[in-house]
Amino acid sequence: MTDQYEPRPEHKFTFGLWTVGNIGRDPFGEPVRQPLSPVELVHLLAEVGAYGVNFHDNDLVPIDATPAERDRIVREFKQALEETGLVVPMATTNLFTDPAFKDGALTSNDPRVRAYALQKTMNAIDLGVELGAKVYVFWGGREGTETDASKDPAGAIKRYREAINFLTEYVIDQGYDLRFALEAKPNEPRGDIFLPTTGAMLAFIETLDHPEMVGVNPEVAHEHMAGLNFVHAVAQAWEAGKLFHIDLNDQAFGRYDQDFRFGAVNLKSAFFLVKFLEDVGYEGSRHFDAHAYRTEDYEGVKDFARGCMRTYLILKEKARQWNEDPEIQALLEEIRADDGSMAAYQGAYSADKAAALRAETFDRVALGQRGLAYERLDQLTVELLLGVR
Ligand code: DIG
Ligand code: MN
Ligand code: MN
């Protein structure tokens, strides 16, 4: 089936090796799919029309690989990229699978673990840069606690800051063209994870030595797990100039991290997210950090990947329609009307402005009586999404 919703490189759709390579293990069940090699996964992604592929160091190079094995794996991976035209926009470090990181990596209570995590991350940064990555993600999946008796939360933040400062200095020292994107998650696999939301990450970034090198990588599922509006988190990151990357998927509220296909649960919030990204001209990767249902074989995995991209493109077209819908735009015009009568009180403070505002009189009752027609506006939006407009 070919139609206007076919992915093209300019859409910048990317997947991690760990997404389409997910073999379906879960806390209550064994794998359901045979593992595919990184090279096979690159070809699978090329087949479905992806633009790029991302990886954790150990998705590509096993943690116990010899230098010779590493070189062979990287050579073969580069060849697959060459053959398919896929690129590597982002890389990251696995600081959560190996038992060494059972109590965290960069915030571990064990200084040897913290030092090993730094060493592993420097090596992984080298690997990512070698393969073309310009964004480096930090997801602190194990940076947290089950009992707050174990770690001083302020001390943990200090350790995190020291590590990120060290690693931004490493990037500067190496002369790499690389920016960091910090990814928040409130819990799982730890009972509580430090820096749990995108908002917390934005505050943390301002305390770093090189905040200009560090942004965020918000993930739909993770903000939803915290019960938050994902579009608002993305908008705050964008407005702060910190939306360096984004992890798209879907997630029911109040559940474990489901990492569902994009748009599989909350179509309306997915619509407003796509509309925001397209309206503001976000130029980064549309990275699907998601995986297929455990019920699927690899044909189902391809359906999953195609579905992520198709839904994004369908919602992008819906956003264009919404922006051009005469009735919706007329309503917005009415709702946002500004007769300029309050212009004198907008913008920066001045003593004269404050004095004049004090003298202004307001009909408070009238202010509260105006009907805003949001029911009409939202119903028109729903009908457009349902395809009857
Ligand atoms: C989980 O949401 C995390 C890890 O998969 C990875 O470190 C990061 C990259 O997008 N997302
Ligand atoms: Mn997730
Ligand atoms: Mn993610």
Side-chain angles (χ1 to χ4, degrees), residues 73-325:
I73 290 166
V74 170
R75 189 173 57 253
E76 290 172 357
F77 188 70
K78 281 180 178 174
Q79 189 185 332
L81 296 175
E82 186 73 27
E83 287 163 3
T84 59
L86 261 70
V87 292
V88 177
M90 180 272 274
T92 183
T93 323
N94 187 322
L95 293 176
F96 45 85
T97 297
D98 191 89
F101 302 126
K102 62 190 175 186
D103 184 32
L106 304 177
T107 66
S108 168
N109 275 329
D110 184 337
R112 290 184 62 78
V113 171
R114 297 202 299 272
Y116 169 55
L118 280 180
Q119 179 198 75
K120 188 173 196 284
T121 303
M122 286 191 288
N123 291 336
I125 286 173
D126 293 348
L127 177 62
V129 168
E130 182 181 346
L131 287 159
K134 293 283 187 288
V135 175
Y136 203 81
V137 164
F138 288 79
W139 171 60
R142 298 272 182 206
E143 312 303 350
T145 64
E146 283 69 46
T147 166
D148 281 336
S150 65
K151 232 166 260 176
D152 159 22
I157 300 295
K158 288 181 172 48
R159 288 173 179 168
Y160 216 130
R161 177 181 306 115
E162 184 182 299
I164 298 297
N165 285 340
F166 183 97
L167 292 164
T168 48
E169 290 291 353
Y170 175 69
V171 166
I172 292 166
D173 213 10
Q174 296 296 102
Y176 290 155
D177 174 15
L178 193 69
R179 300 195 298 180
F180 290 175
L182 308 184
E183 178 174 343
K185 186 176 180 182
N187 59 68
E188 190 197 20
R190 297 306 298 264
D192 291 290
I193 297 179
F194 297 124
L195 299 171
T197 65
T198 293
M201 287 294 188
L202 290 169
F204 173 68
I205 288 167
E206 294 314 310
T207 71
L208 297 172
D209 291 348
H210 294 283
E212 73 287 351
M213 288 176 63
V214 187
V216 290
N217 175 45
E219 176 172 317
V220 176
H222 300 174
E223 299 299 314
H224 282 194
M225 287 171 72
L228 299 174
N229 181 312
F230 184 68
V231 180
H232 296 183
V234 169
Q236 183 182 359
W238 170 265
E239 201 275 337
K242 292 294 182 183
L243 189 64
F244 287 7
H245 198 263
I246 195 167
D247 274 3
L248 302 174
N249 54 24
D250 213 346
Q251 171 78 33
F253 285 80
R255 299 284 203 299
Y256 63 91
D257 191 3
Q258 295 174 310
D259 292 338
F260 281 146
R261 182 181 81 257
F262 183 64
V265 183
N266 307 289
L267 267 180
K268 201 170 166 191
S269 55
F271 164 72
F272 285 117
L273 173 62
V274 171
K275 180 171 152 22
F276 180 83
L277 293 174
E278 297 302 322
D279 285 353
V280 300
Y282 168 69
E283 293 185 342
S285 295
R286 276 74 171 164
H287 175 235
F288 297 105
D289 185 7
H291 50 77
Y293 301 141
R294 188 165 179 265
T295 52
E296 302 309 289
D297 60 13
Y298 277 105
E299 284 313 304
V301 169
K302 292 178 203 171
D303 292 338
F304 147 78
R306 290 188 186 102
C308 285
M309 298 183 282
R310 281 184 64 79
T311 297
Y312 187 101
L313 291 174
I314 293 166
L315 293 176
K316 179 178 175 183
E317 170 57 17
K318 292 289 183 186
R320 186 194 62 75
Q321 291 170 15
W322 195 93
N323 287 337
E324 292 177 7
D325 184 295

Side-chain angles (χ1 to χ4, degrees), residues 14-17 42 45 52-55 77 81 86-90:
T14 63
F15 292 80
L17 284 175
V42 167
L45 286 172
V53 57
N54 306 314
F55 60 84
F77 188 70
L81 296 175
L86 261 70
V87 292
V88 177
M90 180 272 274

